Amino acid sequence: MIALACDHGGYTLKETVKKPLLEQGYEVRDFGTNSLDSCDYPDYGAPAARAVASGECDRGILICTTGIGMSIAANKIRGIRCAHCSDVYSAEKSREHNDANMIALGGRVVGQGLAEKIVDAFLDTEFLGGRHADRVQMMMELENP
Ligand code: RB5
């Protein structure tokens, strides 16, 4: 199950990336927003991040105007490793090295074609484990000061 959430700045791109996900057979839980009306990104990003953190959703995709606010908000939720990505290489590495469980995209930063490739890389790339697992564990221990 893929969690999807956006604010007004990410709404158009959210609808764009949702379609191929459904066509590829992914189950999608859409946490909104569902219009271009101005809203507050934490209201939509946090429930999606909580669903990923709890295991209810396997991965999550967040979209706001820049991707920045959504990524910062998501990373406040315990257990979330949200990578703010504007290129395919970073999306791939966010999985291989960081075991990212969410990505954040900027609706006014990446175009439709690039966004779809970023999402594919995020969903299709496996975590490499090994030395990266040790580092991920170190990162997650930062949640327990
Ligand atoms: C909304 O204007 C904008 O601030 C938001 O979409 C996001 O980009 C914040 O980081």
Side-chain angles (χ1 to χ4, degrees):
M1 178 75 75
I2 309 297
L4 206 50
C6 67
D7 70 355
H8 53 289
Y11 171 67
T12 304
L13 191 61
K14 189 234 329 167
E15 294 303 307
T16 297
V17 302
K18 185 177 173 179
K19 195 165 173 272
L21 289 179
L22 294 172
E23 284 167 2
Q24 288 171 63
Y26 284 105
E27 283 189 293
V28 172
R29 178 148 177 220
D30 189 338
F31 288 82
T33 189
N34 289 306
S35 79
L36 293 169
D37 295 344
S38 182
C39 64
D40 302 320
Y41 54 84
D43 283 342
Y44 297 90
R50 288 196 180 100
V52 172
S54 72
E56 182 191 329
C57 292
D58 305 296
R59 304 260 179 93
I61 301 163
L62 302 173
I63 313 177
C64 59
T65 307
T66 59
I68 296 170
M70 278 293 201
S71 63
I72 294 172
N75 281 314
K76 300 288 182 196
I77 305 295
R78 179 174 289 270
I80 292 302
R81 293 177 297 280
C82 180
H84 178 209
C85 293
S86 302
D87 65 275
V88 174
Y89 178 81
S90 298
E92 245 174 49
K93 293 298 161 192
S94 79
R95 290 288 311 132
E96 289 183 347
H97 289 196
N98 313 115
D99 198 16
N101 49 16
M102 301 193 87
I103 52 167
L105 305 173
R108 298 191 86 174
V109 179
V110 294
Q112 171 180 341
L114 177 56
E116 287 176 9
K117 285 192 186 321
I118 291 171
V119 167
D120 285 347
F122 172 65
L123 294 178
D124 295 344
T125 307
E126 293 301 321
F127 179 45
L128 290 178
R131 67 184 188 280
H132 303 295
D134 298 338
R135 293 167 185 157
V136 169
Q137 193 183 337
M138 287 170 72
M139 254 198 313
M140 300 321 284
E141 279 168 12
L142 298 173
E143 290 181 344
N144 304 310

